[in-house]
Amino acid sequence: TLQAMFEYQTMICELTGMDVANASVYDGASACSEACLLAAQATRRQKILIADTLHPDTEAVLATTARFSGLDLVRIGHEPGRGSVSMADLQNELDNQTAALLVQYPNFFGILDDLPALAEAVHAHHALLVVSTDPIALGLLQPPGEAGADLVVGDGQALGLPLSFGGPSLGFFAARKTLMRRIPGRVVGQTRDARGARRYVVTLQTREQHIRREKATSNICTNQGLNALAATIYLALMGPHGLAQAAEQSTRQAHALYQRLLEIPGFSPVFDGPFFKEFTVRFAGDLTDLNQALDRDGFIGGLALESVRTDLAGLWLVAVTEKRTDADLDGLIASIQAFVAQGGLGS
């Protein structure tokens, strides 16, 4: 078990470009909360800037964390036509009370932010940059650690774990070496015994089961060891080239579908920023009716963003993974065209 956790940590570090990773936390949302708590402890500040392009579910978990920990959450807006974090809003909110900026990469709209620019702005105020990322995207994109991130977290469900009606999953958590002793959970290290044989040991444990609660850096006590093991096997089987191929296939198919959707009456672009495997489009008809029609044809449609944020009416978030073939895309487009032709845009 310890060797498997060591291998898992090593792979997460290689993916994220960070110095050290723990042996997992509960899920991606709690990993974000833990990262914000760590940032507050490390900087002795309580103000956490949150991009409004963060997944709403993650923001809801953060709000619960903040309610009982004293964190001051401040939302940062996005560029209307770009979909990325507004640098003007960021500069207005950054001050000597800011502990960290939390951004999602790719963000909730699927857009890729300029991480080096964000890191430069945040570090100028001695705050930390926390990046929540899709691990599959890192098979193709620059690791956040190389772009200036101080903490990189995310959900490991994409690493070979089945959906299983909503769980379980795992949260990965990686940091710079200077923050190692504040990492929640446990860190497994490699050493040698008295006879020189290689051994694996628990090097750090900051969980409250092992030290007094008030001294613990975290009260997360769920270590998703079995899921972390599955993710390790998945990453080992895929290898760097396989992971890159999965990311490239996802990107290629997502961009192809995006262009084809814009050729259908009723669809229009929303953002012009670069995206990975998710994108947002505007639809002039009823998205609930569209998704129901697609469901009858055997397709899971995009997410109607108004269902999670009332200010995003008419926007449709679509994801394409490496499992989707050209035939799948052809069928989806045909189904949408039929819906529009049958009056899907209304009167």
Side-chain angles (χ1 to χ4, degrees):
T1 297
L2 291 174
Q3 181 177 357
M5 292 301 96
F6 179 83
E7 299 292 349
Y8 162 81
Q9 293 171 183
T10 302
M11 292 176 182
I12 293 299
C13 286
E14 291 176 347
L15 265 183
T16 59
M18 302 305 287
D19 300 321
V20 60
N22 73 2
S24 84
V25 292
Y26 185 63
D27 59 13
S30 60
C32 285
S33 290
E34 289 295 316
C36 290
L37 289 171
L38 187 156
Q41 293 164 359
T43 61
R44 297 185 179 181
R45 302 171 179 179
Q46 295 297 105
K47 183 177 177 180
I48 305 292
L49 305 183
I50 301 176
D52 74 346
T53 53
L54 185 70
H55 195 295
D57 290 350
T58 301
E59 186 175 345
V61 173
L62 280 168
T64 301
T65 301
R67 178 183 173 189
F68 297 101
S69 63
L71 295 180
D72 178 20
L73 305 182
V74 178
R75 295 182 82 194
I76 302 295
H78 63 275
E79 299 288 349
R82 190 70 175 169
S84 54
V85 172
S86 169
M87 292 301 294
D89 282 4
L90 177 61
Q91 292 292 357
N92 286 337
E93 291 293 348
L94 279 169
D95 55 30
N96 60 7
Q97 296 302 311
T98 304
L101 166 67
L102 170 61
V103 296
Q104 187 171 315
Y105 183 78
N107 69 28
F108 182 56
F109 301 127
I111 300 295
L112 300 170
D113 278 283
D114 185 350
L115 292 185
L118 295 176
E120 182 179 1
V122 169
H123 292 158
H125 289 78
H126 305 289
L128 304 181
L129 177 61
V130 182
V131 177
S132 174
T133 189
D134 175 355
I136 300 297
L138 302 185
L140 182 63
L141 304 175
Q142 180 187 32
E146 294 180 8
D150 301 288
L151 293 161
V152 182
V153 298
D155 200 292
Q157 187 276 320
L159 300 177
L161 299 178
L163 289 173
S164 301
F165 299 95
S169 183
L170 69 97
F172 61 88
F173 194 111
R176 298 203 178 280
K177 186 177 181 180
T178 53
L179 300 171
M180 179 173 63
R181 290 191 173 275
R182 298 181 183 274
I183 291 178
R186 60 180 178 175
V187 176
V188 176
Q190 177 180 281
T191 186
R192 294 190 180 277
D193 64 14
R195 292 176 290 183
R198 182 163 55 183
R199 294 288 182 259
Y200 299 92
V201 298
V202 175
T203 302
L204 289 174
Q205 289 193 102
T206 58
R207 291 154 62 179
E208 80 284 3
Q209 301 102 312
H210 307 287
I211 56 180
R212 287 178 299 172
R213 182 170 61 182
E214 66 274 13
K215 295 293 185 180
T217 62
S218 167
N219 288 312
I220 285 288
C221 55
T222 300
N223 168 257
Q224 300 292 72
L226 182 59
N227 292 312
L229 174 60
T232 304
I233 295 170
Y234 172 86
L235 287 169
L237 290 172
M238 292 288 282
H241 297 297
L243 201 63
Q245 288 176 1
E248 289 169 3
Q249 177 78 355
S250 300
T251 303
R252 183 166 53 251
Q253 296 291 63
H255 282 73
L257 180 60
Y258 177 73
Q259 293 300 329
R260 295 179 70 178
L261 281 175
L262 295 183
E263 295 171 359
I264 301 176
F267 287 93
S268 58
V270 180
F271 305 115
D272 61 6
F275 63 88
F276 170 52
K277 69 178 181 183
E278 293 174 301
F279 59 85
T280 304
V281 291
R282 188 181 303 278
F283 182 58
D286 189 303
L287 285 171
T288 299
D289 290 344
L290 173 59
N291 280 335
Q292 288 176 349
L294 291 176
D295 182 63
R296 288 193 293 269
D297 290 342
F299 296 100
I300 299 176
L303 175 65
L305 294 185
E306 188 177 14
S307 65
V308 292
R309 274 179 48 178
T310 56
D311 61 322
L312 301 176
L315 302 191
W316 204 41
L317 178 64
V318 181
V320 186
T321 72
E322 76 281 3
K323 294 177 70 67
R324 301 283 67 84
T325 64
D326 291 341
D328 291 333
L329 299 192
D330 290 343
L332 177 66
I333 290 295
S335 182
I336 294 173
Q337 288 174 330
F339 173 79
V340 171
Q342 294 167 8
L345 297 180
S347 56

